[in-house]
Amino acid sequence: MDQLLAIRAFARVVEAGNFTRAADSLDMPNATLSKLVQELEGHLNVRLLQRTTRRVTVTPEGRDYYDKALRIVRDLEDIDGAFNAVNGTPRGYLRIDIGGSTAREVLIPLLPDFVAQFPEIRLDLGVSDRAVDLISDNVDCVIRGGPLGDSSLVARHLGDAEMITCAAPAYLKTYGVPTYPQELKNGHRWISYLSPQSGRAFPLRFVQGNEKQEMKIEHRIGINESNAHLAAAVAGLGIIQTFRYAAAKDLASGALVEILKDWRPASYPFHVVYPQNRHLTQRLRVFIEWLREVFPARLNG
């Protein structure tokens, strides 16, 4: 048995969630992958995976082995990467999690440059507005906006996004254009962005000079995904607060109109975050350096 190959095969099954996706990512036949995992289980004399016709479940012993073995695999990748770095070619998998509108409007348009610079790095993007557990979800880093609450994570500031309040022309024609935040309580329809974690609606925030207002309005519609939140405003369902970069195309086309320009919310900070206790691989290091160089301009572009 090639133990290192078997460990890599087992780790990929855990990460991919099934044998077929794992085999595809390793470019090997499904039968070969299955045999490697069986040989590893035989070598260890322990069941690492529970297999059914529909799913693969990691046993407690398998999870423990994965956590320990993964450190070895990553150390070997880092050793290889250190030698490859001499030639400027970091390599390996990089797993990134990012919110929907930020992926669509900020990161993905920038990625051709990164892919051209680092062709040996393979990217897996998890795109959703939900919070992930970087350890249990096996994610190298997340890109997120908002305040940071977990001190066990390392955060690097990527810039601040401008927030705006906006609505569709058809909505404003029907309900009128508010000129002061308090007017939103008088017959206007609000589309709340709901926290994917708590399900609670984010409050409305407004700033003019030194004056700040935070309001909670009962929403007609609440949505917990950023692209759908924006689409609801374009459809004329109500008023939203969102990132300028997310609404830029719709503002340019006239599908949305910015309102309350004198009462824009405070800018929203964005960070790239990774576990404090995880070794910073060369591929993650170059990704973070690249992000900090190119992300701020696109965030407010």
Side-chain angles (χ1 to χ4, degrees):
M1 178 188 65
D2 184 333
Q3 188 172 1
L4 180 57
L5 181 59
I7 290 172
R8 283 177 165 155
F10 163 68
R12 197 67 194 107
V13 173
V14 174
E15 294 159 2
N18 66 53
F19 279 83
T20 301
R21 285 200 297 267
D24 289 344
S25 70
L26 293 171
D27 195 23
M28 68 171 57
N30 204 324
T32 302
L33 179 71
S34 181
K35 183 180 178 182
L36 283 168
V37 174
Q38 289 175 2
E39 289 177 344
L40 182 62
E41 290 178 322
H43 171 73
L44 299 171
N45 195 30
V46 68
R47 176 72 69 181
L48 300 173
L49 301 169
Q50 293 288 354
R51 307 162 180 83
T52 68
T53 55
R54 293 188 176 183
R55 59 182 300 182
V56 174
T57 304
V58 186
T59 66
E61 294 80 8
R63 175 59 61 184
D64 185 48
Y65 187 77
Y66 170 79
D67 291 339
K68 291 180 171 64
L70 192 62
R71 289 195 287 270
I72 298 171
V73 172
R74 282 186 167 149
D75 284 345
L76 287 172
E77 288 178 348
D78 289 346
I79 292 169
D80 291 345
F83 284 97
N84 288 323
V86 176
N87 299 317
T89 55
R91 65 180 60 191
Y93 272 101
L94 197 58
R95 297 172 182 87
I96 305 152
D97 193 83
I98 185 171
S101 63
T102 314
R104 185 190 66 187
E105 300 297 343
V106 182
L107 180 62
I108 290 175
L110 293 169
L111 280 182
D113 174 66
F114 183 80
V115 171
Q117 287 189 53
F118 305 103
E120 298 299 320
I121 296 179
R122 301 176 68 179
L123 300 175
D124 284 352
L125 289 184
V127 181
S128 74
D129 290 355
R130 72 176 183 90
V132 299
D133 185 314
L134 282 86
I135 303 299
S136 63
D137 290 334
N138 192 36
V139 175
D140 292 294
C141 67
V142 300
I143 300 169
R144 282 291 186 270
L148 300 171
D150 191 339
S151 61
S152 68
L153 302 176
V154 179
R156 296 287 181 262
H157 186 232
L158 295 178
D160 299 292
E162 185 179 353
M163 299 284 293
I164 63 168
T165 308
C166 58
Y171 170 88
L172 297 173
K173 183 178 180 180
T174 301
Y175 294 95
V177 180
T179 57
Y180 191 79
Q182 292 297 328
E183 291 181 38
L184 297 175
K185 296 181 178 180
N186 300 324
H188 278 284
R189 299 188 176 190
W190 188 259
I191 307 170
S192 287
Y193 180 75
L194 305 179
S195 167
Q197 289 74 53
S198 68
R200 292 192 292 268
F202 281 85
L204 289 66
R205 294 185 173 95
F206 299 96
V207 178
Q208 186 184 64
N210 294 325
E211 185 178 352
K212 297 180 181 180
Q213 291 191 29
E214 182 171 303
M215 301 164 52
K216 292 185 179 181
I217 299 177
E218 185 175 348
H219 58 259
R220 181 62 61 89
I221 296 175
I223 299 175
N224 69 352
E225 197 279 326
S226 51
N227 288 314
H229 185 236
L230 183 69
V234 173
L237 294 171
I239 299 173
I240 63 169
Q241 282 187 341
T242 189
F243 303 117
R244 178 175 291 281
Y245 69 75
K249 292 177 183 176
D250 293 311
L251 292 170
S253 70
L256 289 175
V257 176
E258 184 181 1
I259 59 175
L260 298 170
K261 292 183 180 181
D262 294 333
W263 289 90
R264 286 178 179 147
S267 297
Y268 209 68
F270 271 77
H271 298 84
V272 56
V273 182
Y274 58 92
Q276 193 172 50
N277 59 354
R278 179 172 292 178
H279 177 61
L280 190 63
T281 62
Q282 191 209 8
R283 58 187 174 275
L284 180 55
R285 184 179 295 108
V286 298
F287 179 70
I288 291 173
E289 290 172 355
W290 173 82
L291 271 182
R292 298 184 73 185
E293 179 181 347
V294 303
F295 208 82
R298 183 77 191 189
L299 203 59
N300 283 306

